[in-house]
Amino acid sequence: MARLTELTKDQSYAIADSLAQASSLVLELRIREREALTPDERTLLEQYENHLDQMVALFRAYGIYLAAEGAQQARGAAARLVDLGAAILSRDPLAIGEAAASLRARPKKEEAAGQTA
């Protein structure tokens, strides 16, 4: 069975850009050959173009989702750094230890996804 891998934000945007270029080529073909094409061929090319445009929107939306997910994780790391700074300023060894431990801990999947209680 094939192994699935997740796309990165950059890969998702690259795919969207390639699909957008393909859609532009289909549009260019439709315009250039409009006199030579039958009405059915023009309709079919327009459907291909619309399908490509939909795929562009989906891949760009996925890239935006991944960027937002990364921002959520960065925000959590920044909050833990602020906690450590506050603990250091308080000179409380227990608070410093807890804050340092939270920095070393891997973020929970729910926190990274921005789940609220």
Side-chain angles (χ1 to χ4, degrees):
M1 181 174 267
R3 183 169 182 237
L4 299 177
T5 58
E6 290 187 29
L7 293 174
T8 66
K9 174 186 64 139
D10 292 337
Q11 290 170 327
S12 182
Y13 286 140
I15 291 170
D17 289 344
S18 295
L19 290 169
Q21 289 173 2
S23 176
S24 293
L25 291 172
V26 171
L27 174 61
E28 182 184 327
L29 176 68
R30 264 192 329 118
I31 292 170
R32 188 180 62 236
E33 300 295 327
R34 68 180 168 267
E35 299 300 324
L37 295 171
T38 67
D40 288 342
E41 290 171 330
R42 285 194 299 267
T43 300
L44 187 59
L45 284 175
E46 187 174 1
Q47 289 173 353
Y48 288 150
E49 183 186 346
N50 289 337
H51 182 70
L52 288 168
D53 290 341
Q54 290 171 353
M55 297 300 292
V56 168
L58 288 173
F59 277 99
R60 286 194 177 142
Y62 185 65
I64 291 168
Y65 167 79
L66 291 175
E69 188 176 76
Q72 238 352 15
Q73 291 173 354
R75 189 177 78 188
R80 289 191 295 272
L81 284 173
V82 169
D83 289 345
L84 179 60
I88 290 170
L89 288 174
S90 75
R91 297 179 186 211
D92 179 356
L94 182 58
I96 293 170
E98 288 175 354
S102 76
L103 275 174
R104 286 190 297 268
R106 299 189 84 161
K108 294 179 183 173
K109 190 168 184 123
E110 306 86 57
E111 292 174 359
Q115 186 180 48
T116 58

